[in-house]
Amino acid sequence: MYKILSKRTLGPSIREYVVEAPDVAKAAKAGQFIVLRLHERGERIPLTMVDTNTETGGVTLVVQEVGKSTREMGDTFHEGDSILDFAGPLGEATEIENFGTVVCVGGGLGIAPLYPIARDLHKAGNKVIGIIGARNEELLFYEDEMRAVCDELIVMTDDGSYGRGGFVNGPLTEILEAGKEKVERVWAIGPAIMMKVCAEATRPFGVKTIVSLNSVMIDGTGMCGGCRVEVGGAAKFACVDGPEFDGHEVDFDLLMSRQRYYHEEESCSMDQYLKEGATS
Amino acid sequence: MIREKQVPMREQDPAVRAKNFDEVPFGYTPDEAAEEAARCLQCPKAPCVAGCPVGIDIPGFIGHVKEKNFAEAVKVLKSSNALPAVCGRVCPQENQCQGVCTVGIRFEPVAIGRLERFCADWEAENERCCPEIAPDTGKQVAIIGAGPAGLTAAGELRKMGHAVTVFELLHVAGGVLMYGIPEFRLPKAIVQREIDALVDMGVEIRVNEVIGQVKTVDELLGDGFDAVFVGTGAGLPRFLGIPGEHLNGVYSANEFLTRANLMKAYLFPEYDTPIKVGRRVATIGGGNVAMDASRTALRLGAEASLIIYRRSEEELPARAEEIHHAKEEGVDFNLLRNPVEFLGKDGQLVGVRCIKMELGEPDDSGRRRPVPIEGSEFDIEVDAAVIAVGNGPHPLVPQSTPDMELNRWGNIVADDVTGQTSKQGVFAGGDIVTGAATVIEAMGAGKRSAAAIHKYLMNGTAYGLRLCGVDHKRRSNRPGTAVRSRADS
């Protein structure tokens, strides 16, 4: 059992949990994820780690309540409660070195996994330009955290309710077009469509763009192959070959199609949950 | 005069069982078991013992069954096999003990598997036979992977008095016995019973431990473990490498069976993990895993479940009983057919294009090589496909142990007898060494390694030198993670 050390709400249906898993906290690196299972009937949920604390043994996760399991987690798992299963770290760590100037783009919940990458890139001596965006002000989180690890931070909302209005790819293109300084590498993490658009924005400039893929997976350790994606024409497993890949090589349309495969069942599960309440 | 035919084992009616996940056979009654046991000649040569990868004293335990001394029979079985309830159900007995049975020369061989299963189930319902544990040696062994090889090694080493910790990356122990083999063939409660017996002996099992990531083999050795056994299996699914393979509806057998077995998707939405099975399901392959997948598809409600296999009936690698059961349940065997493309519409699988095959000259495996018949392509309408053409080595431990020698397929190079790897204090066995094989072979390797680890711990050296004749060539690049196709293997 893995105890929830703290829980706080970051926005509507967005919560941050710190879960006690000392061995995972000790081994974890930026870019890696864990898989958790709430209870005996639960599914295995992959979540990217946001932060770790080797003293408290805490692993920080940010969860958006988009489906039945994440909703149930938000409704019924509180500080002091325990999660049944928690395994990690999983996946390959982010390649961190001093590249020079880098741009870190986070869209929606993607800001959470982006944060430790920006932090470590900054620590490694890079000039980090951050661009974070959300649909509206309410859904934006981690602005202060990101500001602390970025040399410049641009904040966007789709509806203009906070920061600049528009999508995150706008300022990304502006920076590349202005050409004031050479951008060595870009990270773009968020919904598949946002990563696709960002990868298209950097392609004409030939700037390597790393994306983090959240395909459907069961075990997260290379066994089911459900998370397979096509990268540069070859099949790759997001769980063990990724989750980060070269965005210019990823077949995003395939990724999005595969992500949609279980939508019907996901709604069915949610309906059942809303009708009957938690199963735990 | 002995009975010519085996005492039949009662089983669920095919039409009924194809709609449920309950176990197919009911097992023998005590009288039926004693009657079958009486068919054993107790022949002094006992070729069956040599045919058993873990060397069970088969005439010994059967002699006790004949006399209805079931507790004694269990003791004999358990002295050489830690998981008899499992082996009685999943061993390919026709190629092992029963394949060389003396009675089998003239009549049907003694039903050794059924008798083994009977004894194990009798024990569960009656008295548990807890094996004797030697006094503590003060030595600690880490076992990586709680599958058949790891659990067997754990049981053997614990009996010798060592402290044993098993690290499992999934949320339950059992490995392929839990995630792969379906409930109707191997009830999970039975696997759990065998695992509980190990825990009762003092084996510590730690789930959710992703060795290779959370800790490396080197870190385990530094943490006070005196030896490490790697039994992480062949968990990396192979794909065919043909167009359309990433369409929605195309599953690896691992994904299909993991959803159904480990995650209990057949109970969705009571359980949270769903599975989309489709109306017409094609399973590609002819082994036990293919039989399991095709029969699972029927139980999940598929109207038609097809096996597509590139060779003929004679070469089907599955156990005879599984093929028989699959046919009885209505699985449609399409033999000498090979998929060349998965056909899709809007991202969803709608069919599989196959080519007809004929058998040519024997290949390296001794089986006649299937050769495509040019221009014979045809399409089969399906909305789900399960690829069951084998697995590669699970990559996490090999990749994170740089000074452990691997062969060119990414399997760990280990001595055939001792399981000793190129790294001191580290032993390996089962599918991670041999490539995908059977439960009992992995158990045999676990048992042999346990004996060698014991010697290593007590004398500082495993007996013998490295004997294996496998490919010692150092890998040139990272193996295992890329999705590989059958053509590569």
Side-chain angles (χ1 to χ4, degrees), chain B residues 161-217:
Chain B
H162 307 299
V164 179
T165 308
V166 183
F167 296 89
E168 166 58 44
L169 63 74
L170 290 176
H171 56 262
V172 292
V176 74
L177 308 175
M178 282 295 194
Y179 74 75
I181 303 177
E183 179 75 17
F184 57 84
R185 189 148 81 85
L186 180 64
K188 301 308 138 207
I190 287 171
V191 181
Q192 194 56 52
R193 198 169 78 203
E194 308 269 40
I195 292 165
D196 291 345
L198 291 174
V199 173
D200 288 348
M201 285 163 60
V203 172
E204 186 192 356
I205 297 183
R206 295 175 58 177
V207 296
N208 298 318
E209 293 277 356
V210 189
I211 302 300
Q213 289 273 29
V214 73
K215 279 196 172 104
T216 62
V217 168

Side-chain angles (χ1 to χ4, degrees), chain A residues 59-74:
Chain A
V59 175
T60 306
L61 308 168
V62 174
V63 180
Q64 186 164 29
E65 291 158 21
V66 288
K68 184 256 175 180
S69 297
T70 46
R71 175 73 182 266
E72 185 181 0
M73 188 172 174

Side-chain angles (χ1 to χ4, degrees), chain A residues 93-241:
Chain A
T94 305
E95 184 188 351
I96 303 282
E97 54 180 89
N98 190 350
F99 298 100
T101 298
V102 297
V103 180
C104 290
V105 191
L109 197 75
I111 299 168
L114 183 73
Y115 165 71
I117 297 169
R119 179 197 62 202
D120 287 5
L121 285 166
H122 189 255
K123 245 187 255 171
N126 291 279
K127 176 179 177 187
V128 179
I129 302 171
I131 305 171
I132 57 173
R135 282 211 307 279
N136 57 46
E137 183 179 7
E138 275 197 306
L139 291 167
L140 190 80
F141 62 92
Y142 274 11
E143 184 186 349
D144 293 343
E145 284 84 347
M146 282 298 289
R147 203 171 291 284
V149 299
C150 292
D151 295 272
E152 282 173 39
L153 183 70
I154 301 162
V155 180
M156 308 288 294
T157 50
D158 296 1
D159 64 357
S161 54
Y162 185 75
R164 277 177 59 185
F167 300 115
V168 287
N169 57 307
L172 175 62
T173 305
E174 285 166 22
I175 291 165
L176 295 171
E177 273 178 350
K180 274 197 291 195
E181 54 198 312
K182 190 169 182 310
V183 173
E184 299 293 341
R185 200 171 276 211
V186 171
W187 272 261
I189 306 183
I193 186 68
M194 168 257 167
M195 294 191 281
K196 179 182 178 179
V197 169
C198 288
E200 286 315 312
T202 61
R203 194 190 299 275
F205 300 95
V207 181
K208 186 160 183 175
T209 301
I210 307 296
V211 295
S212 179
L213 305 186
N214 52 341
S215 44
V216 175
M217 56 179 75
I218 310 285
D219 61 287
T221 69
M223 289 170 59
C224 77
C227 68
R228 64 195 187 275
V229 287
E230 215 163 277
V231 182
K236 298 278 180 190
F237 287 1
C239 64
V240 288
D241 299 315

Side-chain angles (χ1 to χ4, degrees), chain B residues 309-311 315 358-371 486 489:
Chain B
Y309 179 58
R310 60 185 177 154
R311 301 180 197 248
E315 291 85 15
E358 59 190 352
L359 293 180
E361 294 303 308
D363 62 14
D364 297 344
S365 72
R367 299 178 299 179
R368 292 177 65 193
R369 183 193 302 274
V371 185
R486 180 162 64 184
S489 62

